[in-house]
């Protein structure tokens, strides 16, 4: 009996899906640690320059305009010819952006006349294009189910990006910027070297492929952009109306949101692929996959809530006693964040169906509520202090999650195969 029980745990611990989530969290932890290290060794001016590099990475990361989202959805269908055409399209965009990045850095050098600024801009542009390429390569490997290779690449790239920090005592700014750029560059170079299948190959572009990819991905891109808009408006309100010091008091809550969403964000692409393939090959198992996705997410939320409420205060008091006063903002955001997170595995259904009306309504309502609340606060019609801002964020998350859940329940009437089901164990189990 012991021999039968042990392999179950062994399989679970060695499951590449579990390892993928763990490696994703570890990679993000490396980036977080790198940011904290930069905060420790750089002065205000250098931190500003690093922020500019990170801004360049973020801006370039948006230039796929939904092609990466739609491309991943179509890759999951397993059509080899279409996958090859999608890869050519993606690398065509990456190549065009690379040329524009080099041109922008050259013009900056000519117009500004400072080689250091030109190099800094070039580093940010290289990191941005490489990050875009890394996301696409990761999408390809996820769609192929090559999680073992993706885990190795992510781990090597994350740890390899720490190497430049050895020079931090000599050139602190250069070391931090090099570390930021090296992680995506190393990932892409190693991926294309180890797996030639990921490289673009000559062939037809595919009639109507770009429009279909946009149709499959633009909605997800747009709602994500709406969330970013709401966050920018929120931070602008706090900075202008309550002061930059109060914005700093929300740092803990913002960090918590980022950390909380690491695991759900890592689970989502895995279950999207499994649901697309299951619905194509064995529609009766679709509900079981939905049940597994909802069960894992629910279990994660339960553990996260218990850990947050039980361990949060003592850990803050021990590690960051000055920040303990800001913990109530985390608790204010938590209820809405939980509802939003629980809706995510159910809403994968709309991505599988490539039917995004519910996303437009739900995310539009959440963004609209945020902007309306901030507008009322800005006009002085309602008192909106820091706790009010945190509560507004929670309400926006909760409204988005509630609409998505309601839309899923309604859609189950037309698509009952997506109704979550739990596996029924056999007698011998």
């Amino acid at each position: 009996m012991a021999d039968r029980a042990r392999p179950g745990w062994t399989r679970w611990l060695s499951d590449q899906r579990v390892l993928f989530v763990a490696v994703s969290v570890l990679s993000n932890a490396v980036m977080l640690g790198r940011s904290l290290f930069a905060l420790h060794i750089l002065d205000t001016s250098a931190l500003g320059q690093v922020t500019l590099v990170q801004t360049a990475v973020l801006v370039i990361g948006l230039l796929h305009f939904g092609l990466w989202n739609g491309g991943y959805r179509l890759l999951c269908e397993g059509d080899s010819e279409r996958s090859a055409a999608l890869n050519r399209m993606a690398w065509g965009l990456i190549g065009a952006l690379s040329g524009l990045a080099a041109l922008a850095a050259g013009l900056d050098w000519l117009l500004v006349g400072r080689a250091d600024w030109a190099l800094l801009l070039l580093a940010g542009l290289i990191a941005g294009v490489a990050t875009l390429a890394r996301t696409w390569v990761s999408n390809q490997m996820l769609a192929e189910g090559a999680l073992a290779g993706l885990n190795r690449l992510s781990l090597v790239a994350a740890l390899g990006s720490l190497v430049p920090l050895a020079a931090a005592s000599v050139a602190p700014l250069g070391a931090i910027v090099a570390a930021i750029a090296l992680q995506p560059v190393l990932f892409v170079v190693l991926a294309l070297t180890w797996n030639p299948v990921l490289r673009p190959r000559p062939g037809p572009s595919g009639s109507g492929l770009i429009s279909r990819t946009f149709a499959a991905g633009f909605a997800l891109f747009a709602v994500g952009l709406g969330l970013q808009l709401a966050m920018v408006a929120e931070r602008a309100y706090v900075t202008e109306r309550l002061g930059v010091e109060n914005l700093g008091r929300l740092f803990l809550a913002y960090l918590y949101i980022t950390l909380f969403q690491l695991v759900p964000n890592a689970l989502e692409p895995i279950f999207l692929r499994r649901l697309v393939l299951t619905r194509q090959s064995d529609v009766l198992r679709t509900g079981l996959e939905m049940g597994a996705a909802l069960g894992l997410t629910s279990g994660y939320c339960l553990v996260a809530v218990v850990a947050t409420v039980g361990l949060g205060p003592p850990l803050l008091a021990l590690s960051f006693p000055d920040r303990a006063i800001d913990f109530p903002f985390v608790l204010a955001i938590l209820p809405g964040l939980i509802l939003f997170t629980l809706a995510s595995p159910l809403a994968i259904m709309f991505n599988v169906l490539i039917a995004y009306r519910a996303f437009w309504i739900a995310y539009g309502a959440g963004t609209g509520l945020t902007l309306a609340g901030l507008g009322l606060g800005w006009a002085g019609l309602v008192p909106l202090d820091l706790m009010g801002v945190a509560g507004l964020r929670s309400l926006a998350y909760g409204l988005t999650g509630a609409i998505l859940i309601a839309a899923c329940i309604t859609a189950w009437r037309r698509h009952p195969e997506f109704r979550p089901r739990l596996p029924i164990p056999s007698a011998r189990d």
Side-chain angles (χ1 to χ4, degrees):
M1 295 295 293
D3 289 338
R4 288 192 60 186
R6 189 170 60 84
W9 280 102
T10 303
R11 286 195 303 271
W12 187 85
L13 291 173
S14 61
D15 191 317
Q16 292 301 325
R17 290 167 294 177
V18 176
L19 293 177
F20 171 74
V21 174
V23 171
S24 296
V25 172
L26 177 61
S27 297
N28 282 279
V30 168
M31 288 189 284
L32 175 63
R34 196 169 58 213
S35 298
L36 294 176
F37 183 66
L39 190 65
H40 178 68
I41 68 169
L42 298 181
D43 58 26
T44 304
S45 175
L47 284 172
Q49 294 177 67
V50 171
T51 302
L52 290 175
V53 171
Q54 293 173 327
T55 301
V57 174
L58 291 174
V59 170
I60 293 176
L62 295 174
L63 295 182
H64 62 86
F65 297 109
L67 286 175
W68 270 213
N69 305 91
Y72 177 65
R73 167 60 185 83
L74 297 180
L75 285 172
C76 288
E77 294 181 0
D79 186 321
S80 58
E81 290 186 7
R82 184 193 295 154
S83 297
L86 285 167
N87 198 30
R88 285 189 290 273
M89 178 190 69
W91 281 104
L93 175 60
I94 292 168
L97 289 175
S98 299
L100 290 174
L103 179 62
L107 288 174
D108 180 72
W109 192 352
L110 291 174
L111 296 176
V112 179
R114 288 186 55 181
D116 56 341
W117 279 100
L119 288 173
L120 193 68
L121 176 62
L122 182 61
L125 295 174
I126 290 173
V129 173
T131 299
L132 203 63
R134 178 186 64 184
T135 303
W136 176 250
V137 171
S138 297
N139 285 350
Q140 287 180 284
M141 299 183 73
L142 278 169
E144 293 173 1
L147 292 181
L150 182 55
N151 288 335
R152 286 194 296 270
L153 281 170
S154 299
L155 192 57
V156 170
L159 297 178
S161 70
L162 300 178
V163 173
L165 299 182
S169 60
V170 179
L173 177 59
I176 295 295
V177 171
I180 292 173
L182 182 58
Q183 186 166 356
V185 169
L186 187 59
F187 181 97
V188 173
V189 169
L190 291 177
L192 298 182
T193 300
W194 291 350
N195 191 350
V197 175
L198 300 173
R199 304 171 194 168
R201 301 186 300 276
S205 59
S207 177
L209 185 61
I210 292 180
S211 60
R212 185 176 181 194
T213 308
F214 265 122
F218 182 75
L220 295 177
F221 171 80
V223 297
L225 205 59
L227 284 178
Q228 294 296 326
L229 173 64
M231 292 178 189
V232 169
E234 179 182 282
R235 296 180 189 193
Y237 171 83
V238 174
T239 301
E240 292 296 324
R241 299 290 294 181
L242 304 178
V244 68
E245 294 82 6
N246 279 316
L247 181 63
R249 291 196 61 193
L250 288 177
F251 179 84
L252 179 66
Y254 292 149
L255 179 61
Y256 178 83
I257 293 171
T258 300
L259 295 176
F260 186 95
Q261 293 180 322
L262 288 180
V263 171
N265 288 344
L267 287 172
E268 186 170 336
I270 295 176
F271 278 104
L272 172 59
R273 173 182 179 270
R274 290 172 64 87
L275 282 165
V276 170
L277 295 176
T278 300
R279 190 166 184 261
Q280 289 177 337
S281 60
D282 186 3
V283 69
L284 295 178
R285 289 191 56 83
T286 304
L288 292 176
E289 292 293 342
M290 291 292 291
L294 181 60
L296 278 174
T297 305
S298 300
Y300 168 76
C301 287
L302 178 61
V303 172
V305 168
V306 172
T308 299
V309 176
L311 300 179
L315 284 178
L316 279 176
L318 181 64
S319 305
F320 302 98
D322 293 340
R323 297 271 70 87
I325 193 175
D326 300 331
F327 187 68
F329 304 136
V330 172
L331 296 180
I333 289 174
L334 189 58
L337 183 60
I338 292 293
L339 188 59
F340 177 78
T341 303
L342 289 174
S344 296
L346 299 178
I348 296 176
M349 171 181 65
F350 299 117
N351 204 351
V352 176
L353 296 171
I354 314 182
Y356 297 117
R357 183 182 178 188
F359 281 105
W360 289 113
I361 296 173
Y363 284 88
T367 300
L369 176 63
T370 299
L371 296 179
L374 294 174
L376 291 173
W378 205 298
L381 298 177
V382 296
L384 197 63
D385 57 8
L386 280 181
M387 185 57 73
V389 170
L392 180 62
R393 170 71 76 94
S394 183
L395 284 174
Y397 276 141
L399 178 62
T400 302
I403 292 175
L404 285 175
I405 292 173
C408 289
I409 294 173
T410 300
W412 289 341
R413 299 171 188 169
R414 300 187 305 274
H415 303 281
E417 70 273 17
F418 285 101
R419 189 175 284 113
R421 293 189 294 119
L422 294 177
I424 300 175
S426 62
R428 64 180 181 180
D429 291 335

